[in-house]
Amino acid sequence: RQPWYQQSGNKVVFRFLGFHRGEVMRGHQLLVQPPKGFSFPLSGAARQLASEPAAGLGSSEELAYKLAQVGTLPLDDPMPVLESTVLLINLTSYEPLASRFSIELTVNNPGVDPKVNLWRAMLLAPNLVPIYTNDGNWPGFELRGTFLQAGRTFLKSLVTSFPSETNVVRVTLALASDLSGANLQMKIVAPAGFIFESDCMPKNPDLLPTPSLTTAAWLSTCSGDVRVRNQARFNIPNVGTGGGFLSGGMTYATNLKTTNAETFNESSTPMWELYTFRNNDNTRFVHFTTLESFPLDVLWAQVVPEVPKFSSSSQLLVSVQPMRDLGPHGQLIINAPTAFVLFCRLSPFFTKGNLPAGASCSGANNFAIVQLAGSDFLERGVVYQWVTNPAQVKDAAAQWSIRLQTQERELVHETSQVASYALAPRAISRFAVAPVSAKMDLATWLRVQFKLETVLARASANLIQLHAPEGFRYSCANSQARNGFVLPSEAVLAGNMDQFTDLSLVLEPPAARGLEAYRNDGTTEDGRAMVDCAQPGVSVGARVDYTDLLTLGRYAFRVQVMNPSETPDLNVWTLQSYSDSQLVEQGATRGYEIVVSASPVVDGLFAPQQQLPLLVSKATHSSLRSVLWVVASAAILS
């Protein structure tokens, strides 16, 4: 179970078919003779497995035994090619061992491979005369080496943790056992995507132990595999005519040149592998271990479509958070999967969001480039969000890539593992949100408009669910927590918009008063909340009785939210429709900017038939205008 060189306390399981002559085992002894170099501890060397008990071994799990020199036993062949010290297990049961049974032995492994890797087992009568024997021909297990852990063997990135950049990696290792032989080699395997150059040893490898007049360098060359680019081999020089040698327990270290991978999966930490080889045998390793990779700082990015519908045009909400500054004339390059077509040159198809004012966009096929002006820059750590437009989508299985580079096309930060999004035959469109006030930490009424493509039948349990960005809270959550239900007349108000039907008119009604099924004015006949605010700060759901074609699927409503203290990093609102708990359609839209103070304006997306004054700041007015571009472009393309 622990086949490592010089491993103490290795557990070895012996399985026997049984002795079929029916001898009573009391007074008999079971002899085990290991290969040369193996030894048995003075205590705890033998026990029967609790999972495979055998009555003939005795009632105790621990087995009584003694160690003896094979030369003192009356055996015809002591087999001197095996270890001279043998284990004699005393059998005390009055029952035979006719059935299969197993015993577990504890042994101390040698530091080198035994020349004859065979184990002998014998059943001896009380007078020590052999009754059964395996003739000493049971092949033993192959020994391997390992590396010392607990901070002795590890990796460290010395130059950069950014993807796709040239790096120097410090490898520190300690073998658990000696490595000796001719033509010693060590192989290092990096996670997929890393690249070793053909000569992967830097000019100053900073070897440890440090070479001197009396101490030779333990490593002579490092060669990258030109076919498998994430593998490299170290050549360990011979010492005189005796071959090479690395001492077990000693710390060795070197620097290596590599290029970091483009991607890094945090959910399953990538692993590096280390192997040692000797005697020109590259098929059987001597030592082996795995090491956790150092993390790569992949550019955080996300793409969210407003209308996730097959083969249709839609605004695309793009968010990035660079970890390095991008200076004037810098570029953001978006590479979509092959099936996408990006176009963003005209202003209706490109909303700058919180990008600098001088940013421009151009796109063709599945590429788009956002260009900064000479006075613009992107600041590291800030989440930037803007809108561009994919069209004619057929397949969204592949991932997106986004690259930040300078005017000279030097890499600043990148990612090639931006998850794509699921597409559907139908989706919510014309979805937009606008607040009465965008002031921080203020309860405000939010007006929501949207268009459904799928008619929701009255016979089904229908739900419209609005998800807010992180930091927002719905005011109705307090009422639900206090009363156990929410009155729709207080939580979901009329939208009061031309060409949009009030969602409050099609909410599922409660049971009539006086009926046994009646609970309250906020609960349906079958016990479901008409307006569900049970998840504060996450979503609000409205139970819809039905929708019809007369409204063209256009609805609007108002709901009260508590603005956060600052604009969320991922400022995207999503809307979903469900029928019998199955997702039917969904859509998304960019949120509004949170401001410190608010001043009134008279225009805006929802200016007609305002019952409450539309109070937004200049910044909020700008964000509303961005939303207007979203809806306008959707209208043009629909």
Side-chain angles (χ1 to χ4, degrees), residues 231-475:
Q231 296 184 13
R233 287 184 179 268
F234 309 155
N235 291 314
I236 301 170
N238 294 328
V239 180
T241 60
F245 180 81
L246 293 182
S247 177
M250 179 173 287
T251 298
Y252 298 90
T254 184
N255 294 341
L256 301 177
K257 294 188 298 184
T258 184
T259 300
N260 291 340
E262 293 183 356
T263 61
F264 185 81
N265 188 356
E266 295 182 355
S267 59
S268 57
T269 303
M271 305 297 292
W272 293 62
E273 299 174 355
L274 285 175
Y275 302 81
T276 64
F277 301 92
R278 63 187 173 192
N279 302 329
N280 283 326
D281 187 354
N282 293 329
T283 61
R284 297 174 62 252
F285 64 85
V286 182
H287 299 81
F288 169 75
T289 191
T290 59
L291 299 172
E292 287 190 3
S293 179
F294 50 88
L296 295 180
D297 296 322
V298 177
L299 172 67
W300 180 88
Q302 188 174 48
V303 292
V304 179
E306 287 198 335
V307 184
K309 182 180 178 181
F310 283 112
S311 301
S312 67
S313 299
S314 164
Q315 292 285 343
L316 181 72
L317 305 174
V318 184
S319 304
V320 298
Q321 186 178 24
M323 299 182 68
R324 285 176 175 163
D325 296 340
L326 180 63
H329 301 292
Q331 296 177 336
L332 297 91
I333 301 177
I334 306 170
N335 185 8
T338 305
F340 288 79
V341 176
L342 301 177
F343 51 92
C344 57
R345 183 179 297 275
L346 300 179
S347 57
F349 306 134
F350 176 60
T351 303
K352 299 175 184 178
N354 62 337
L355 287 174
S360 61
C361 181
S362 60
N365 298 324
N366 61 324
F367 286 92
I369 299 178
V370 177
Q371 179 78 49
L372 300 185
S375 59
D376 294 339
F377 65 93
L378 298 187
E379 185 179 352
R380 63 181 177 181
V382 177
V383 176
Y384 292 91
Q385 187 175 64
W386 73 95
V387 180
T388 187
N389 197 309
Q392 302 172 6
V393 181
K394 295 182 175 64
D395 180 20
Q399 292 183 320
W400 297 60
S401 65
I402 298 179
R403 174 186 174 95
L404 277 64
Q405 63 183 27
T406 65
Q407 186 180 15
E408 293 76 22
R409 298 184 179 180
E410 294 181 358
L411 175 65
V412 175
H413 206 178
E414 74 168 353
T415 177
S416 58
Q417 58 188 75
V418 183
S420 193
Y421 45 84
L423 297 173
R426 298 183 178 184
I428 295 175
S429 60
R430 304 202 178 198
F431 172 38
V433 298
V436 171
S437 173
K439 187 176 181 181
M440 59 180 290
D441 298 326
L442 179 70
T444 183
W445 285 95
L446 186 74
R447 184 171 280 106
V448 183
Q449 71 167 51
F450 59 93
K451 179 182 178 181
L452 302 177
E453 289 193 52
T454 304
V455 174
L456 301 178
R458 174 171 282 169
S460 303
N462 306 310
L463 176 67
I464 300 293
Q465 197 161 37
L466 176 66
H467 296 269
E470 184 179 359
F472 283 87
R473 291 183 295 111
Y474 291 99
S475 300

Side-chain angles (χ1 to χ4, degrees), residues 162-169 193-197 257-262:
F162 283 74
S164 303
E165 294 188 348
T166 302
N167 193 13
V168 175
V169 176
F194 282 82
I195 297 176
F196 289 105
E197 299 298 328
K257 294 188 298 184
T258 184
T259 300
N260 291 340
E262 293 183 356

Side-chain angles (χ1 to χ4, degrees), residues 60-132:
S60 174
E61 182 177 334
E62 294 291 334
L63 300 176
Y65 69 92
K66 65 180 179 179
L67 303 179
Q69 294 298 309
V70 68
T72 63
L73 302 176
L75 303 179
D76 294 335
D77 183 7
M79 295 191 71
V81 295
L82 302 183
E83 181 62 36
S84 60
T85 301
V86 299
L87 180 74
L88 292 175
I89 300 175
N90 300 319
L91 305 180
T92 59
S93 174
Y94 288 98
E95 298 185 34
L97 277 169
S99 302
R100 295 173 181 265
F101 67 96
S102 301
I103 59 173
E104 182 183 77
L105 304 181
T106 300
V107 299
N108 301 320
N109 298 341
V112 296
D113 292 320
K115 293 183 178 180
V116 178
N117 192 13
L118 296 174
W119 292 68
R120 178 159 75 163
M122 305 177 72
L123 178 66
L124 305 181
N127 59 0
L128 300 183
V129 174
I131 302 176
Y132 291 93

